[in-house]
Amino acid sequence: MERRQKKKANLDVVFVQDHSDSMQLPATAYSTVGGEKYSYHRSFYLDDIVNGAAKLLLDTPKAGYDNRVSLVAFSHDPTPIYATDFTKKVQDITNQLISVPNMNNGATNYSGGLRGAIDIIKDDQDPDRIPVVIFLSDGQPFGDGEDFYGLKAAEELRNLGVKVYPIGIYVENNALGENLKNISYDGKTQYLAENSESFVKIMEQVLDDVVNSIETL
């Protein structure tokens, strides 16, 4: 995944990842050699894409870039499975994805992921940095507690001035897209990937949109 970086930014990017049971369904993609299909868990493909995105944000020689990345994982609980501190090291991200693989079972509670992002951002606020949340899920919200749609958490993030960019992966119905809109920074934004190939392109688009939006602040 290659991308030209044109803007200056000091970003704190939180990748919020769905670890619900549907992420164990197969993700079909084409190999880079011969165009043959291969299939493995959606969760593994998600980890690959997030790791690549973190590398783009952190390992850049572009002057003026000083980004940090955090990971949050969620499933059915109203609290996250884990939430990591911000880091400037790609290896920290890789190690986390390897040491806690996406192999959990349970429903999809958006609030758990967004609450984890809120805690990370509040715990390490820096006035010279702009926090952003990239939210990734393949399922409709369903979990424990009254706010499994994540609406209250999304509103709190808006009040903190944090933009949430929601990505729906392996989208199979329109309801997922509507639920993602509801947690986005403006109540209208969503990015929908129907398969593995479009997921790569959409992640590139989101990273561009994130960086470009900073220039207008």
Side-chain angles (χ1 to χ4, degrees):
M1 185 165 53
E2 295 182 357
R3 183 176 67 91
R4 289 185 179 180
Q5 298 188 5
K6 301 178 181 179
K7 311 292 184 184
K8 293 183 178 181
N10 290 339
L11 295 166
D12 278 347
V13 179
V14 183
F15 287 97
V16 177
Q17 296 178 259
D18 187 345
H19 276 218
S20 63
D21 52 9
S22 60
M23 290 300 297
Q24 309 313 311
L25 295 173
T28 300
Y30 288 96
S31 68
T32 56
V33 179
E36 296 182 0
K37 285 187 176 182
Y38 65 91
S39 181
Y40 61 125
H41 287 180
R42 295 177 178 182
S43 60
F44 298 159
Y45 204 80
L46 173 59
D47 285 351
D48 286 347
I49 298 299
V50 169
N51 195 61
K55 184 175 178 63
L56 284 174
L57 289 166
L58 299 176
D59 279 0
T60 172
K62 184 72 174 180
Y65 278 76
D66 184 25
N67 303 319
R68 301 190 301 179
V69 170
S70 168
L71 298 176
V72 172
F74 72 96
S75 181
H76 62 280
D77 289 332
T79 55
I81 297 170
Y82 67 75
T84 70
D85 293 333
F86 284 115
T87 182
K88 296 182 180 181
K89 299 178 180 179
V90 175
Q91 193 60 49
D92 290 342
I93 300 301
T94 304
N95 290 344
Q96 178 67 24
L97 294 173
I98 292 173
S99 62
V100 188
N102 188 335
M103 296 294 289
N104 296 80
N105 293 315
T108 306
N109 190 330
Y110 284 9
S111 183
L114 295 175
R115 289 290 169 195
I118 289 170
D119 289 343
I120 288 295
I121 291 168
K122 283 186 172 180
D123 287 346
D124 195 3
Q125 289 182 319
D126 185 335
D128 294 326
R129 294 183 172 280
I130 299 174
V132 173
V133 173
I134 298 178
F135 184 94
L136 303 113
S137 176
D138 74 333
Q140 297 186 61
F142 182 84
D144 298 326
E146 63 179 15
D147 188 33
F148 54 80
Y149 285 89
L151 301 181
K152 293 179 181 178
E155 184 63 23
E156 184 172 348
L157 284 163
R158 293 187 194 105
N159 291 336
L160 291 171
V162 180
K163 286 191 172 183
V164 177
Y165 293 80
I167 302 177
I169 54 180
Y170 307 104
V171 175
E172 298 172 350
N173 57 64
N174 293 328
L176 171 58
E178 290 303 312
N179 288 319
L180 292 174
K181 285 182 182 180
N182 290 336
I183 65 169
S184 71
Y185 65 90
D186 59 359
K188 299 182 292 185
T189 296
Q190 61 172 331
Y191 303 82
L192 303 180
E194 295 181 356
N195 51 46
S196 300
E197 288 76 21
S198 62
F199 184 16
V200 174
K201 295 177 181 178
I202 284 175
M203 180 60 82
E204 292 176 342
Q205 179 187 346
V206 169
L207 293 180
D208 274 331
D209 288 350
V210 167
V211 173
N212 289 338
S213 70
I214 303 306
E215 184 73 4
T216 64
L217 296 178

